[in-house]
Amino acid sequence: MTTAAALPREDSFLQRLSTSLYLRPRLLLLMLLGPPLLWLGVIYLGSLFALLAQSFFAVDEFSGVVVQEFSLANWTGFVTNPANGDIVLRTFLMALVVTIAAALIAFPVAYYMVRFAGIRTKAVMYLGVMLPLWSSYLVRVYSWKLILAKEGIVSWVMAQLHLTWLLDAALATPVVGGPSLSTSYIGTFLVFTYIWLPFMILPVVAALERVPGSVIEASGDLGADPGQTFRKVIFPLAFPGVVAGSIFTFSLTLGDYIIPGIIGSSTPFLGQAVYSQQGVAGNIPLAAAFTVVPIVIMGIYLTLAKRLGAFDAL
Amino acid sequence: MNATGAPAVAFDRVSRTFGEVRAVDDVSFRVEDGEFFSMLGPSGSGKTTCLRLIAGFEQPSSGHIQVHGVNVGGVPPYRRDVNTVFQDYALFPHMNVGENVEYGLMIRKVPKAERRRQAEEMLAMVKLDGLYARRPGQLSGGQRQRVALARALINRPRVLLLDEPLGALDLKLRETMQAEIKAIQRHLGITFVYVTHDQGEALAMSDRLAVFNQGRIEQIGAPAEVYDHPASVFVAGFVGQTNLLDGYLAQRIGGFPATFSIRPERIRVAGEEGGFGFDIASIHGRIAAITYLGATSRLNVQVDGGELIVVEPNVDGGVAPPDRVVGAEVRLTIDRKHIQAVTDAS
């Protein structure tokens, strides 16, 4: 004597649409992922490949017009000019040193934030790390120019501390030195490190957050002193975070053209070369060749990082 | 350095406070060498803090702790001859099973081949032969538990600390692991200090157990002693099920005003003829509810002044006697030696 209970009826179009999507999760996924994938594929990667393809064109020397035919002339010219090698090496070394410095500064900061700071301190530190990212990049770089200038804050503080000799000694160092901090590689390095530091701290914090306290205790429990625990457990587990951060600091330094233009010696970096070839000289093929360089370097870098096992613990 | 005959662990008036909270409050006890000692209590009762005090992860705010006769005040975990099995296993995710087990030996710079040999031996003991090269992430919860056990035992500690090691496992596996952990303890003959909130586990495994409540120990004793003679209302209620009587019903059954604990299985449903005598208390009641529990049935019996829970075995193939129906009038008898006066200390 049971009467079949009727299911609530689906009247509206939206209700029927919901049901039909619920029953076809793949269609829903396609609808959600399709537009962004198309954007990424066509607009982003497409333009990148178009640029790379241009590196195989060449500029007609008389007319200055880009000849749209496949040729290796652009690449031959790029490789055989020793000045280009200097630019690549200079930028690569700067990116490397900035990355190492950022990692060395970021690790203790991140470790303190994760292991020792209370909730409030941690929030303040997060804010401190993020805050610079919310203000204008240019303003920060120019303010560093004031800090590092010959009559700037750093030299004043050094004078007050009777440490002017130290600053002078640093500036007298061959290659990296210069007339003042703001016109030397030391200055460029300081500003790069400052600007990209948050991009190192945040992934390292995220990596350290994922290391359970009990794992660190277990290491000590099994006889490892704090130094051994750091080397055998904490650092290997946080290493993927350092690698993630270094991908940011390294590639951002490789590509940046503003900081070395404002602070440092007047020798060009990769980003400046791309900018001037494309914008000022109108030599798109050569600019494209310069663009390939950081992509190749990052490719090698990621391969090495993978070999090092940086992604094993992910 | 180690005094012979000293207890494996001795707490002498130990307190540990976190801000205003007294997590461990003036606790003293001794764990004998080779004993399986459980610390039982609800969460927040101080049992895990006591374990961490032995391991060295916490330092006492006051009092002294000795491990094998040596005062361990100010000694960090890595210099203590104790090892811990953690509640969440705490396996190193970047190492394989073998490297996890070998970790203690690696730290002590034991040669690779010898490490490997001992690790394989330990893995065989916990029945994980052949899993040396697996990653912890590829193991089931029970297998991870075994790795954690092997890793903690490879240093041959004199005291092994286990912090709710079976808490995350399902019932069947938990029972198997209880038996195995007990067997390993007998085989190695070392002291186990075992933290659990599961009273059944503590009763089944321990030589002696301490019942913790609000940072203090309410009772220490052998399982049967604690179960049959609970020292306090808290112990009676936490270890096993019980009927707590006070007021009129206590006076009526116990014979004097106090709080009494009577285990449900000690109460008999007697006929009108049997079970009289000086040693027997008896009371009439009416069955208010019957719950079938498989091996046993639970009767809620309404008596004058309250309700008594009676648990009786289902012996006759599930066919209950004719008077076991809701509403039936029954006569309950209790041997007076099972009526346990308890203090209401806390």
Side-chain angles (χ1 to χ4, degrees):
Chain A
M1 274 296 288
T2 52
T3 45
L7 289 169
R9 279 179 47 181
E10 292 181 343
D11 288 327
S12 78
F13 170 71
L14 275 178
Q15 283 175 334
R16 272 177 287 141
L17 184 69
S18 307
T19 307
S20 94
L21 282 180
Y22 179 84
L23 295 174
R24 295 173 190 79
R26 277 166 188 281
L27 181 67
L28 182 66
L29 191 69
L30 192 72
M31 285 170 64
L32 287 172
L33 275 184
L37 277 181
L38 229 78
W39 172 270
L40 187 73
V42 176
I43 308 208
Y44 182 76
L45 289 178
S47 60
L48 189 64
F49 282 116
L51 183 69
L52 296 185
Q54 298 226 30
S55 71
F56 293 100
F57 297 156
V59 171
D60 186 287
E61 295 209 3
F62 294 106
S63 61
V65 174
V66 176
V67 182
Q68 299 195 346
E69 277 171 27
F70 179 83
S71 113
L72 288 173
N74 179 48
W75 275 106
T76 330
F78 176 77
V79 174
T80 51
N81 185 350
N84 293 341
D86 285 349
I87 294 174
V88 171
L89 187 66
R90 181 182 302 127
T91 313
F92 172 78
L93 288 178
M94 180 60 79
L96 191 69
V97 177
V98 166
T99 296
I100 292 169
L104 289 179
I105 299 168
F107 207 97
V109 174
Y111 195 76
Y112 180 83
M113 282 173 76
V114 174
R115 290 269 160 254
F116 298 104
I119 295 172
R120 285 182 65 90
T121 320
K122 198 169 163 184
V124 169
M125 290 184 78
Y126 259 116
L127 204 66
V129 172
M130 306 279 280
L131 201 61
L133 297 179
W134 302 341
S135 63
S136 162
Y137 167 92
L138 270 181
V139 168
R140 284 182 291 143
V141 175
Y142 273 110
S143 61
W144 271 98
K145 184 136 185 112
L146 295 181
I147 294 169
L148 298 175
K150 199 165 189 62
E151 307 292 321
I153 297 168
V154 170
S155 56
W156 181 81
V157 169
M158 288 303 223
Q160 296 304 306
L161 296 171
H162 303 287
L163 287 172
T164 306
W165 57 272
L166 191 66
L167 184 61
D168 289 341
L171 289 174
T173 317
V175 186
V176 298
S180 73
L181 279 176
S182 65
T183 54
S184 67
Y185 285 130
I186 298 177
T188 322
F189 160 77
L190 288 175
V191 178
F192 265 135
T193 307
Y194 160 79
I195 293 277
W196 304 140
L197 190 59
F199 296 96
M200 181 64 92
I201 292 179
L202 295 177
V204 175
V205 167
L208 285 172
E209 297 262 20
R210 283 199 300 270
V211 182
S214 65
V215 166
I216 295 168
E217 285 184 345
S219 173
D221 186 71
L222 292 163
D225 62 41
Q228 288 170 315
T229 297
F230 183 82
R231 287 194 302 278
K232 304 285 186 192
V233 177
I234 298 170
F235 188 72
L237 288 176
F239 192 57
V242 177
V243 171
S246 73
I247 290 169
F248 288 120
T249 57
F250 196 79
S251 63
L252 289 171
T253 310
L254 278 184
D256 191 85
Y257 66 98
I258 294 174
I259 291 171
I262 298 172
I263 291 171
S265 67
S266 49
T267 50
F269 279 67
L270 261 177
Q272 290 167 289
V274 173
Y275 180 72
S276 63
Q277 290 305 326
Q278 180 195 269
V280 184
N283 192 342
I284 300 281
L286 192 53
F290 272 114
T291 311
V292 175
V293 174
I295 295 174
V296 171
I297 291 176
M298 283 314 290
I300 296 170
Y301 181 75
L302 289 179
T303 313
L304 283 178
K306 189 170 171 5
R307 286 264 175 83
L308 283 173
F311 308 115
D312 287 1
L314 291 182
Chain B
M1 203 160 114
N2 290 322
T4 46
V9 178
F11 271 48
D12 180 21
R13 308 205 59 182
V14 172
S15 293
R16 177 69 174 103
T17 52
F18 297 100
E20 294 294 297
V21 183
R22 300 185 77 82
V24 174
D25 189 3
D26 198 21
V27 161
S28 302
F29 65 89
R30 293 155 68 103
V31 181
E32 302 305 330
D33 197 8
E35 195 173 28
F36 197 116
F37 186 84
S38 290
M39 302 199 282
L40 172 68
S43 61
S45 60
K47 58 192 192 305
T48 295
T49 307
C50 279
L51 197 81
R52 294 173 59 80
L53 285 163
I54 305 172
F57 303 132
E58 305 285 351
Q59 296 288 335
S61 307
S62 65
H64 299 283
I65 300 170
Q66 291 194 340
V67 176
H68 281 285
V70 180
N71 196 325
V72 291
V75 179
Y78 51 91
R79 285 183 44 227
R80 295 191 184 195
D81 197 7
V82 298
N83 286 117
T84 307
V85 176
F86 291 82
Q87 187 171 14
D88 63 353
Y89 319 137
L91 300 181
F92 305 123
H94 59 304
M95 300 179 191
N96 66 25
V97 166
E99 288 164 342
N100 263 283
V101 175
E102 288 175 12
Y103 189 82
L105 300 180
M106 190 256 297
I107 291 298
R108 285 193 282 142
K109 305 197 163 49
V110 175
K112 181 98 186 116
E114 174 61 16
R115 258 157 42 194
R116 171 105 197 192
R117 192 190 64 72
Q118 288 195 33
E120 300 276 17
E121 193 182 301
M122 277 297 156
L123 286 173
M125 190 180 75
V126 297
K127 301 179 182 167
L128 286 181
D129 322 57
L131 295 190
Y132 185 93
R134 291 276 183 90
R135 287 261 163 181
Q138 296 171 300
L139 303 182
S140 68
Q143 288 173 322
R144 283 180 215 190
Q145 183 54 65
R146 288 162 196 261
V147 176
L149 196 59
R151 185 180 68 174
L153 285 169
I154 204 161
N155 279 355
R156 316 259 164 197
R158 297 185 72 184
V159 180
L160 185 75
L161 310 175
L162 302 101
D163 185 9
E164 308 230 10
L166 309 181
L169 306 180
D170 61 52
L171 183 63
K172 206 77 196 161
L173 191 55
R174 209 153 64 212
E175 284 169 357
T176 315
M177 286 301 292
Q178 281 175 13
E180 279 186 33
I181 288 176
K182 187 73 191 161
I184 287 171
Q185 191 256 343
R186 280 205 205 92
H187 171 67
L188 297 175
I190 62 176
T191 312
F192 275 34
V193 179
Y194 192 98
V195 161
T196 181
H197 65 266
D198 180 335
Q199 46 95 19
E201 202 165 281
L203 292 176
M205 299 174 81
S206 320
D207 295 321
R208 284 192 310 146
L209 57 97
V211 184
F212 279 72
N213 184 33
Q214 296 181 342
R216 291 170 168 273
I217 293 180
E218 298 251 343
Q219 188 174 6
I220 301 183
E225 193 182 324
V226 172
Y227 185 79
D228 286 332
H229 305 288
S232 68
V233 170
F234 176 81
V235 175
F238 192 77
V239 182
Q241 264 200 319
T242 202
N243 292 289
L244 278 176
L245 315 182
D246 49 16
Y248 169 76
L249 193 57
Q251 176 82 48
R252 163 83 178 72
I253 293 177
F256 55 94
T259 306
F260 295 100
S261 160
I262 306 169
R263 299 293 180 189
E265 71 279 10
R266 307 293 191 205
I267 305 178
R268 302 252 173 278
V269 181
E272 286 302 328
E273 58 282 355
F276 292 95
F278 182 71
D279 294 337
I280 308 286
S282 92
I283 189 166
H284 282 85
R286 195 175 57 80
I287 298 178
I290 301 175
T291 312
Y292 180 72
L293 299 169
T296 57
S297 285
R298 186 177 65 220
L299 313 179
N300 293 48
V301 181
Q302 207 68 49
V303 294
D304 189 14
E307 190 185 66
L308 290 176
I309 293 170
V310 181
V311 170
E312 47 180 20
N314 292 328
V315 281
D316 205 8
V319 181
D323 60 345
R324 301 299 192 278
V325 288
V326 173
E329 300 286 336
V330 288
R331 179 171 159 267
L332 305 177
T333 61
I334 308 144
D335 193 321
R336 287 200 186 277
K337 67 171 185 266
H338 296 313
I339 302 172
Q340 186 68 33
V342 288
T343 59
D344 199 352
S346 52

